[in-house]
Amino acid sequence: MHRVSPRTLPPGLEALTGLALDLRWTWNHAVDGLWQRVDAELWNATHNPWVVLQNVPQARLEQLRSDEAFLASLATATDERAAYLRTAGLCASRWPVDVPSGVAFFSMEFGLSEALPLYAGGLGVLAGDYLKTASDLGVPMTGIGLLYQEGYVRQTIDASGNQRETFPYNDPVSLPIQPALGTDGSWLEVTVPLPGRVLRLRVWQAQVGRAALYLLDSNHVLNGAVDRGITAKLYGGSVETRLLQEVVLGVGGWSLLALLGKDDAVAHLNEGHAALAALERARRYMHARGVPFDEAWWATRAGNVFTTHTPVASGFDAFSPSLVDKYAQRLLADCRLSLQDLLALGRADPADDDEPFNMTYLALRGCAQASAVSRLHGEVSRRLFARLYPRWPLAEVPVRHVTNGVHVPSWDSAQADALWTAACGKGRWRGDLRCLEAAVAATDDAALWNLAARQRAELVRYARERAELQAGLRGESTGQAAGAQGGLDPNVLTLGMARRFTGYKRMNLLLQDPPRLIRLLTNPSRPLQLIVAGKAHPEDVEGKRQVQAWVTFTRRPEVLGRAVFLEDYDLALAQRLVQGVDLWLNTPRRPWEACGTSGMKTLANGGLNVSTLDGWWAEAYDAACGWAIPAAGDDAQDAATLYRLLEDEVVPCFYERNAHGLPPRWVQRMRASMSRLAPRFSSNRMLLGYLEDFYLPAARALRRRSEHESLAAWARDISSHWHEVRLDDVDVVLDGDAWRFRAHVYLGGMRREWVRAELYADERHGMPRQCVPMQIGSPIGGSIGGYEFVTTLPAIRPADDYTVRVRPWHDDAFLPAELPWIAWQR
Ligand SMILES: *Cc1c(COP(=O)(O)O)cnc(C)c1O
């Protein structure tokens, strides 16, 4: 990338630009001191090197030029960065050298830093963590997103406890990004045809260590006024604007990859928002190879991976057929598709003319592999998508899961970092995680408790300061401000809860019985203190009501100093909270939390979790590590369980002290949670999961299909003959202690090597699900395409448990995702 300084830097200091533009500073705190020295006031206020560099007085820069010590640390930082970029990374050797384009990661949001506020919540924060992890592990990755003029909503609370929103303007000049330049030095631009005009997109680039993030921006002087506003606001505007944003992400994003020469990348589409990338990829392949659309669709689909992040059907984006018609004209003509053909790709029932065009369905059809974001979410997703794979058992609906994880170096405190370094050495989150469990398991009680105490004290100091500032901004009486200032106690059990205020997250669960909560908070010998934060969507009336309920509660005189609401939840505040709390609370309504990641951020810092058995906690929970609220589904019951857990288990566990003044059972849980859960729910493990189970198979299949056969002809033949498949005369005999199955299968005009016959048994009588391939026997005399299929298996369960089925088969196809035919014995 061509680096443009925000200003002319004095000779000798030029290297500052490269450091400030590499967002690795968001997790590599070794350079914090350097920026502090440039300008302590600017640094402390913003923690944003790019802003420091833009605003530091020229006189200060002139001083630094001759500050030997400073120049030495600048040289060290520059060398360290160069070494980081040079080191291959754990995964570099796993990535096939013949796919240099790596992975293109598409997302509507990226939450890398407060300095680049292009996110609204968990999806964006995850995408940010993902790019950082790819950089650390050396997986070649390119992020594709949008640059919004208005990013994350900012929250203030007025005197009556109402949420007030502001949408600060994202001035590209002060964001740590640069225009992406072509090889000839001109600003990269991508065009997308729209009805009657061409949409021009400017391309920006952010550097995330080794990974690059490209951001598309419709605010181009040659666009009409309305088009300039397409990327004005994250999730803003009308349904039509939303569709156009998805056109920008999918069509514009894929066009950019093509421009960069990366169109053989594995595409990872996050949420249905990016689904149009699959269509654009196929369209371009079709023209490049001069093949029909169908060929191109089959050839390129192998290289696409889809992750669904939503557990409810109402969360999927869907557009009316007329809106699709309006924008699809050129695509249809270009690909020689009918509107009907296109709509069928986004419908559960292609024959239903009233069904809208669902982007999640399009993504499932346009990607050979799909994943959900936790084990439970995998089950939920298979149910949600079962209609797309008729007659397939639920367990075989082709959606697997990779549970999300968090980028630990972005979330651990300086103290936790020191403790992990002492136990496992530097660079541990960049490498193999196996050694971590044993190392932390050997850390002694005093070190762990000391860590908790220091982190809590730091959070209490920070929260007081912030509460005081909030009170001051509201112009509250000095008495109230003093109350907030004197509040919170560094020795009290500290519970944190912070996330988006939205219905299913049930942020109000703990407020179901205020007197009971007040008793917990004001217990004279074993009190609890509470820090709450979170924003409601500007249009979410119920969410805003809950914000107000919490603000009102924290202002009650009897809880002053025991409960605070911190305004303007964002990445920076999230970091402070997860580093300082003893306990993190999450109370989603099962199964609405696809995964949830905020609780994972506390793990490496020694924070414990208490949560509904939903999302990640449903698979992580273990009594040795934390506490669970078994989901009754009923708010009153779940609240009662939560109060009881806090009163009878959590609070006593924290305040029970041994002769050394330590709470032995609490510390034991910290150790178990840190050693066992922190590595498992790190993004390091998540990225390795995607790499091994999704990206590498995708890269291999993509190459095979582009070099050999796209499988389109195979699929066409099977589809035209499938109705001829018939199964009858299954007989079974007991031969010693084995069942011998024999089935007569009629394939009509289909070739026998195109199908596989299987014996299938559901989970039953305490026996697991089972699927046994059958061997093809002799042709059935006098029949057309009739064959005997046979198999023998141990008679350990009733023969009645088994059913014969026939399905298409090809070693190079992802099935049933790509061809969902199946026929069963009647
Ligand atoms: C981690 C994070 C989230 C997501 O948290 P959940 O528990 O998944 O809701 C949202 N916003 C911010 C600022 C975060 O840091």
Side-chain angles (χ1 to χ4, degrees):
M1 176 166 61
H2 177 77
R3 304 218 179 264
V4 181
S5 310
R7 61 198 291 179
T8 308
L9 293 174
L13 299 183
E14 297 93 338
L16 285 169
T17 305
L19 286 175
L21 279 173
D22 184 344
L23 288 160
R24 184 163 169 249
W25 54 255
T26 60
W27 75 97
N28 172 34
H29 296 292
V31 290
D32 289 2
L34 186 80
W35 297 109
Q36 176 111 35
R37 286 184 55 182
V38 173
D39 190 316
E41 190 186 357
L42 279 169
W43 168 255
N44 291 335
T46 66
H47 280 257
N48 178 346
W50 189 243
V51 169
V52 172
L53 207 50
Q54 284 181 317
N55 294 286
V56 54
Q58 191 67 24
R60 176 65 189 141
L61 289 175
E62 294 299 336
Q63 275 172 358
L64 289 170
R65 260 185 86 181
S66 49
D67 180 336
E68 291 301 328
F70 177 81
L71 293 176
S73 18
L74 177 57
T76 307
T78 314
D79 291 348
E80 192 276 341
R81 174 161 180 262
Y84 173 85
L85 295 176
R86 232 183 4 252
T87 314
L90 178 74
C91 291
S93 59
R94 314 260 263 277
W95 188 260
V97 282
D98 48 355
V99 189
S101 303
V103 179
F105 188 88
F106 287 76
S107 176
M108 204 73 151
E109 333 176 7
F110 283 90
L112 286 153
S113 159
E114 277 331 299
L116 192 55
L118 306 175
Y119 68 97
L123 180 70
V125 177
L126 181 79
D129 274 12
Y130 206 67
L131 288 188
K132 294 173 184 178
T133 311
S135 170
D136 281 350
L137 297 188
V139 173
M141 190 163 306
T142 306
I144 305 282
L146 268 50
L147 182 77
Y148 304 100
Q149 271 84 61
E150 276 178 17
Y152 198 25
V153 56
R154 304 294 299 265
Q155 176 196 55
T156 51
I157 304 288
D158 71 13
S160 331
N162 295 306
Q163 168 176 301
R164 295 269 171 250
E165 298 105 19
T166 40
F167 299 91
Y169 170 61
N170 275 340
D171 178 5
V173 173
S174 58
L175 298 176
I177 58 175
Q178 294 283 286
L181 303 181
T183 40
D184 63 353
S186 60
W187 194 344
L188 281 188
E189 186 178 301
V190 164
T191 58
V192 173
L194 291 182
R197 66 216 192 257
V198 165
L199 178 70
R200 290 168 191 273
L201 300 167
R202 306 192 291 188
V203 186
W204 301 87
Q205 185 181 354
Q207 200 63 41
V208 187
R210 279 187 268 239
L213 168 62
Y214 290 94
L215 299 164
L216 298 167
D217 172 12
S218 73
N219 188 14
H220 189 296
V221 284
L222 294 180
N223 289 334
V226 176
D227 289 347
R228 285 183 76 161
I230 291 173
T231 58
K233 196 167 176 169
L234 173 60
Y235 303 138
S238 63
V239 172
E240 189 157 350
T241 308
R242 171 68 80 99
L243 175 63
L244 285 169
Q245 288 189 343
E246 298 188 6
V247 167
V248 171
L249 181 64
V251 181
W254 191 267
S255 305
L256 171 63
L257 279 177
L259 193 64
L260 296 171
K262 288 177 178 287
D263 51 1
D264 60 344
V266 169
H268 188 168
L269 313 185
N270 281 275
E271 272 301 25
H273 308 142
L276 295 171
L279 281 172
E280 179 64 11
R281 178 176 206 165
R283 191 189 71 79
R284 286 177 175 265
Y285 187 95
M286 170 182 151
H287 287 298
R289 300 287 186 109
V291 296
F293 180 79
D294 189 36
E295 282 289 320
W297 186 242
W298 270 87
T300 53
R301 177 170 53 202
N304 300 337
V305 174
F306 171 52
T307 297
T308 172
H309 296 260
T310 315
V312 286
S314 60
F316 303 148
D317 273 350
F319 299 103
S320 71
S322 59
L323 195 59
V324 174
D325 189 22
K326 175 171 172 186
Y327 288 103
Q329 292 301 331
R330 190 176 158 277
L331 175 79
L332 297 178
D334 197 17
C335 299
R336 274 173 242 118
L337 291 173
S338 69
L339 179 64
Q340 220 47 36
D341 295 335
L342 176 65
L343 290 173
L345 294 172
R347 283 175 167 158
D349 176 3
D352 179 355
D353 285 341
D354 295 327
E355 202 183 315
F357 187 72
N358 184 309
M359 300 303 274
T360 300
Y361 296 165
L362 175 65
L364 285 167
R365 297 217 169 89
C367 297
Q369 303 182 82
S371 76
V373 293
S374 70
R375 190 176 67 201
L376 179 62
H377 182 231
E379 288 167 24
V380 171
S381 301
R382 286 188 287 276
R383 266 199 298 280
L384 278 175
F385 303 134
R387 287 174 67 202
L388 273 64
Y389 310 92
R391 293 177 295 282
W392 278 90
L394 212 48
E396 290 177 88
V397 168
V399 181
R400 292 174 283 159
H401 77 270
V402 177
T403 304
N404 287 341
V406 295
H407 181 247
V408 178
S410 293
W411 300 104
D412 61 357
S413 71
Q415 297 93 328
D417 180 47
L419 184 137
W420 285 91
T421 305
C424 325
K426 272 262 165 243
R428 62 207 163 270
W429 300 109
R430 280 187 235 158
D432 196 322
L433 298 174
R434 275 171 301 201
C435 67
L436 296 184
E437 177 166 348
V440 170
T443 305
D444 69 47
D445 284 7
L448 292 174
W449 187 238
N450 214 345
L451 170 72
R454 289 173 57 202
Q455 293 179 140
R456 188 184 323 110
E458 176 54 30
L459 173 62
V460 163
R461 190 198 59 73
Y462 175 78
R464 280 179 183 169
E465 209 175 276
R466 207 156 154 151
E468 193 184 2
L469 177 68
Q470 288 172 191
L473 287 174
R474 273 194 300 274
E476 275 166 15
S477 72
T478 40
Q480 273 169 303
Q485 151 80 346
L488 298 183
D489 182 331
N491 297 308
V492 166
L493 167 60
T494 306
L495 174 79
M497 52 188 293
R499 54 187 52 83
R500 223 154 24 93
F501 273 72
T502 181
Y504 78 88
K505 298 217 183 224
R506 301 195 296 182
M507 288 294 277
N508 58 348
L509 200 69
L510 205 52
L511 276 183
Q512 291 269 318
D513 186 349
R516 198 163 172 187
L517 177 58
I518 291 171
R519 283 198 298 279
L520 271 163
L521 298 175
T522 57
N523 183 309
S525 58
R526 304 185 313 181
L528 176 72
Q529 64 189 357
L530 193 58
I531 306 181
V532 185
K535 297 170 180 170
H537 187 278
E539 263 120 61
D540 182 353
V541 177
E542 174 55 24
K544 286 175 149 180
R545 209 191 48 75
Q546 290 185 13
V547 168
Q548 191 185 27
W550 268 114
V551 173
T552 309
F553 178 83
T554 58
R555 289 180 186 171
R556 290 169 73 141
E558 62 270 46
V559 302
L560 220 55
R562 283 288 180 260
V564 289
F565 184 95
L566 296 184
E567 296 171 14
D568 205 26
Y569 179 53
D570 63 6
L571 277 166
L573 176 55
Q575 273 161 352
R576 296 293 191 145
L577 291 174
V578 301
Q579 290 170 4
V581 297
D582 298 292
L583 192 67
W584 191 255
L585 175 67
N586 193 12
T587 53
R589 180 177 294 124
R590 180 176 161 126
W592 284 58
E593 185 88 294
C595 180
T597 52
S598 56
M600 298 176 186
K601 298 169 190 165
T602 66
L603 297 172
N605 298 309
L608 302 182
N609 279 270
V610 53
S611 171
T612 322
L613 284 176
D614 193 14
W616 77 286
W617 196 236
E619 70 200 77
Y621 167 69
D622 165 350
C625 300
W627 293 273
I629 308 164
D634 171 312
D635 289 1
Q637 254 173 294
D638 287 356
T641 310
L642 174 58
Y643 289 125
R644 202 191 38 70
L645 265 180
L646 292 173
E647 290 158 355
D648 299 349
E649 299 190 34
V650 178
V651 171
C653 181
F654 183 87
Y655 286 104
E656 168 194 285
R657 302 294 158 96
N658 64 15
H660 308 289
L662 308 180
R665 288 189 301 137
W666 189 276
V667 172
Q668 224 167 44
R669 279 191 161 84
M670 282 179 71
R671 184 181 291 110
S673 170
M674 290 175 83
S675 64
R676 306 215 307 248
L677 300 185
R680 198 170 135 207
F681 293 96
S682 73
S683 51
N684 192 327
R685 187 271 310 144
M686 164 174 65
L687 181 53
L688 286 171
Y690 274 111
L691 179 70
E692 297 291 341
D693 298 339
F694 291 81
Y695 298 157
L696 294 180
R700 280 193 294 268
L702 181 65
R703 201 166 54 239
R704 266 201 311 276
R705 288 191 199 180
S706 66
E707 286 168 7
H708 306 292
E709 185 200 355
S710 78
L711 306 188
W714 165 81
R716 237 182 350 256
D717 279 346
I718 290 192
S719 299
S720 64
H721 288 292
W722 193 257
H723 66 278
E724 297 162 18
V725 172
R726 213 153 46 77
L727 263 143
D728 46 36
D729 294 343
V730 176
D731 46 66
V732 50
V733 292
L734 189 62
D735 180 0
D737 52 5
W739 293 123
R740 282 161 49 114
F741 279 86
R742 208 155 47 83
H744 283 183
V745 178
Y746 298 89
L747 300 175
M750 242 180 332
R751 295 183 19 203
R752 60 189 175 147
E753 60 271 27
W754 287 349
V755 301
R756 196 156 113 165
E758 293 168 338
L759 270 187
Y760 176 86
D762 252 326
E763 194 179 321
R764 206 164 163 196
H765 305 128
M767 303 289 289
R769 214 165 51 81
Q770 214 183 338
C771 191
V772 185
M774 301 180 82
Q775 293 81 48
I776 191 153
S778 38
I780 299 168
S783 73
I784 300 172
Y787 296 91
E788 204 172 72
F789 282 81
V790 294
T791 199
T792 303
L793 74 177
I796 47 176
R797 62 193 291 181
D800 274 0
D801 279 8
Y802 296 97
T803 314
V804 178
R805 68 185 200 182
V806 179
R807 56 187 296 195
W809 191 261
H810 196 298
D811 283 343
D812 289 343
F814 295 87
L815 297 168
E818 298 193 278
L819 198 62
W821 300 117
I822 190 161
W824 294 82
Q825 167 195 351
R826 283 187 306 267

